[in-house]
Amino acid sequence: VFVNGLENPTGLALSLDGSRLFVAERGGRIHAYEVETGALLQSIDLASFGYSSIAGLAVSPESGSIYFVDMSTNQVVKVDTARFTEGQCTYQSVANTGFQAALDAAKAQVESECAGTSLSLTRDYTCKVDGVIPNGTLFEQVHTDGYASDNPDVQSTAGMDDGAALLANRTDCEYDGDLNFDALLLGGYYCHICLP
């Protein structure tokens, strides 16, 4: 979820440079969020100007101006940004300036030490669970307490039981459920839907 807590959102549009996401609420508000961080940069209240039923939002590909449709007045309206920003149309990013440099350094290190592997801070939704049972010797390092599961379908003293493949299709991901998340990791299910 990028943004929550909105009241009847009716439109969204990206700034020309892709750095800000504008989100309209039907009641007459437009919010500007920083794409990189998800931080709220500014909100404007158009209801006080008689626009209380915004039904759509767009950014001009030529000028970058913000336009919206108001259903109660049956108008397409251009937002006068100077009115809301005191003539200042710039914003200060809330992103940590050292973050990108640290991320680039970490990516370079992972790629140099682990050939063919790349670092990502986002979940790879193209990753699929492999139902093939991993090598049972991977489980020899697991102790009988702590991370080990009492479920014989996860592992036995001789290594991973054939029933462990049943974990691949489990979807009971609730924090208070009986699914053993450590068993998923130790079973090699790194891309399982229940894992972040």
Side-chain angles (χ1 to χ4, degrees):
V1 176
F2 182 73
V3 175
N4 56 21
L6 296 170
E7 294 182 28
N8 300 314
T10 57
L12 56 91
L14 276 173
S15 63
L16 286 183
D17 62 3
S19 64
R20 287 161 291 151
L21 177 68
F22 302 105
V23 180
E25 291 180 337
R26 182 173 309 280
R29 295 184 65 79
I30 297 177
H31 307 286
Y33 295 91
E34 184 175 38
V35 171
E36 185 177 359
T37 63
L40 176 64
L41 299 172
Q42 183 178 7
S43 294
I44 58 173
D45 184 4
L46 297 163
S48 60
F49 296 95
Y51 304 112
S52 58
S53 58
I54 296 177
L57 189 67
V59 171
S60 167
E62 304 265 334
S63 67
S65 297
I66 303 169
Y67 293 85
F68 65 90
V69 175
D70 186 72
M71 292 189 311
S72 63
T73 63
N74 293 316
Q75 295 177 332
V76 175
V77 182
K78 178 181 176 183
V79 175
D80 181 4
T81 55
R83 175 181 282 178
F84 300 102
T85 61
E86 298 172 359
Q88 302 296 317
C89 292
T90 60
Y91 72 98
Q92 178 65 40
S93 173
V94 297
N96 182 329
T97 55
F99 175 78
Q100 189 61 47
L103 179 59
D104 291 341
K107 284 182 179 180
Q109 182 177 355
V110 166
E111 290 169 4
S112 70
E113 293 178 8
C114 307
T117 303
S118 61
L119 174 70
S120 174
L121 296 182
T122 58
R123 181 174 179 172
D124 179 5
Y125 288 95
T126 62
C127 187
K128 301 292 181 203
V129 173
D130 184 0
V132 176
I133 299 174
N135 183 342
T137 59
L138 297 174
F139 294 87
E140 293 175 2
Q141 61 184 322
V142 179
H143 303 289
T144 57
D145 58 357
Y147 293 114
S149 174
D150 294 333
N151 182 347
D153 290 336
V154 175
Q155 67 187 46
S156 66
T157 55
M160 186 172 179
D161 187 280
D162 289 346
L166 297 174
L167 290 174
N169 297 320
R170 296 270 302 262
T171 57
D172 51 328
C173 306
E174 297 81 19
Y175 74 92
D176 57 351
D178 65 348
L179 181 60
N180 185 326
F181 298 106
D182 293 322
L184 289 175
L185 290 172
L186 293 170
Y189 298 113
Y190 305 121
C191 301
H192 195 279
I193 193 169
C194 291
L195 296 174

